Structure formats: C-alpha cells, structure tokens
Amino acid sequence: MAIRTILKMGEPLLLQEASLVSPTSIATDEIQLIIQDLLDTMTAANGAGLAAPQIGVPLQIVVFGFEKNNRYPNEAPVPQTILINPIITPLSDEKVSGWEGCLSVPGLRGVVPRFVHIRYQGFDQHGHSIDRQVSGFHARVVQHECDHLIGKLYPMRVEDFTQFGFTEVLFPDL
Ligand code: NI
C-alpha cells in the first residue's frame, strides 16, 4: 500500500482531461496498484472520494464512498466504489445546492449546484459493469469526482461566492 501526495489546485495536471482506461488493462498490476493507492490515500486523508489525477495519474479512475465521514458528518453513507471510465447522465434537470470540499483545495468549502438525480455507468476494479441511479449526496460525490476527470475543480462551479470560504470559519466543528 502507498499513500500518495495529493496535488493541489494550481497544478496544471488537475486541469487536464484524463484518458480512458483500456478495459483489457484493468486487471494489470499497473492499474490495480493505482486503484489501491487511490483507496489508501483517500482513507488516510479522510476523503469522501478521490480521482486519479489528484495523485498525478491522468486516467479515468475515481474512488469514493464511506460509512461515516468526519469531513461530511451529516451525510448518509455512500457505498465504497471504484469507478473506471465513468459516464454520467442526469435523470432530470433538477439541481440542488450543497457544500463541497476537495482534498486538492484544502481548508476551503463552497456551495455548488449539482444534479439531484443521475445515472452513472462505468467499470469496477474487476472490469465488471457498474450501472446505478442515485440521488442526493451520492450523486453529488460522483459528479464532483468525475469533474476531476475533465479538469474541473469545484470552485469553478461555485456560483455564489458569498458561500465560499475557509472551513475553520464556516464549520468550526469540523
Ligand atoms: Ni475533489
């Protein structure tokens, strides 16, 4: 296992589009090691999710999920998921605003509008298909993580900058 350095906003790699993973390469040691490093790094940082570009790997791999998360103590659990080559389809136009943070943007939080209901598809770590319809915080986490694969960080989605600031000021208990 390896805990990797998480790149911070300002790093050009975080603004790049990530490449598709060849489905036949999912079982290789190289990809399996990246997945393990993502999980180890996310766990060590108490993250709700992490995308491969955040550890310097420009591939379409994200991990997310938690039973209980100290960074988001009021949110319902999200199943631990490894998602490769994701495709997101909004299931309605409805959006909801909610607080987000990001391990690549440490110390800050902002309110971001996201689709309430989405379908997401992709492959898991075994190369099996994932096809889920989700809503709420689960849908928010998936949209946030998949944004990393198109070079988008959540501050680029903030619409009201009166709702963007330092975690220690906004949420002193976190
Ligand atoms: Ni993030």
Side-chain angles (χ1 to χ4, degrees), residues 54 101-103 144-145 148:
Q54 293 180 275
C102 180
L103 296 173
H144 176 113
E145 296 311 327
H148 281 295

Side-chain angles (χ1 to χ4, degrees), residues 35 38-39 49-54 59-64 81-86 123 141-142 144-149:
I35 291 169
L38 279 168
L39 291 170
L50 193 64
Q54 293 180 275
L59 290 174
Q60 292 191 23
I61 307 172
V62 302
V63 301
F64 54 85
T81 303
I82 292 125
L83 183 62
I84 299 169
N85 297 348
F123 297 101
V141 169
V142 173
H144 176 113
E145 296 311 327
C146 292
D147 258 0
H148 281 295
L149 305 181

Side-chain angles (χ1 to χ4, degrees), residues 5 17 28 65 76 157 163:
T5 301
E17 283 198 28
T28 62
R157 304 277 194 200
Q163 294 193 293

Side-chain angles (χ1 to χ4, degrees), residues 97-100 109-113 154 157-160 163-164:
S97 291
W99 287 97
E100 295 187 15
R109 295 289 171 110
V111 167
V112 182
Y154 85 81
R157 304 277 194 200
V158 170
E159 292 180 350
D160 176 0
Q163 294 193 293
F164 182 64

Side-chain angles (χ1 to χ4, degrees), residues 77-157:
V78 175
Q80 178 158 295
T81 303
I82 292 125
L83 183 62
I84 299 169
N85 297 348
I87 296 170
I88 294 178
T89 312
L91 294 176
S92 77
D93 292 336
E94 189 188 350
K95 290 189 174 184
V96 64
S97 291
W99 287 97
E100 295 187 15
C102 180
L103 296 173
S104 292
V105 191
L108 293 163
R109 295 289 171 110
V111 167
V112 182
R114 299 285 189 188
F115 290 109
V116 177
H117 306 289
I118 63 165
R119 175 186 185 187
Y120 66 91
Q121 297 160 275
F123 297 101
D124 71 7
Q125 69 272 34
H126 308 295
H128 298 147
S129 293
I130 292 178
D131 188 344
R132 294 178 182 156
Q133 298 189 15
V134 300
S135 56
F137 195 68
H138 188 160
R140 174 172 298 279
V141 169
V142 173
Q143 290 170 86
H144 176 113
E145 296 311 327
C146 292
D147 258 0
H148 281 295
L149 305 181
I150 56 168
K152 288 257 189 250
L153 298 167
Y154 85 81
M156 301 173 187
R157 304 277 194 200

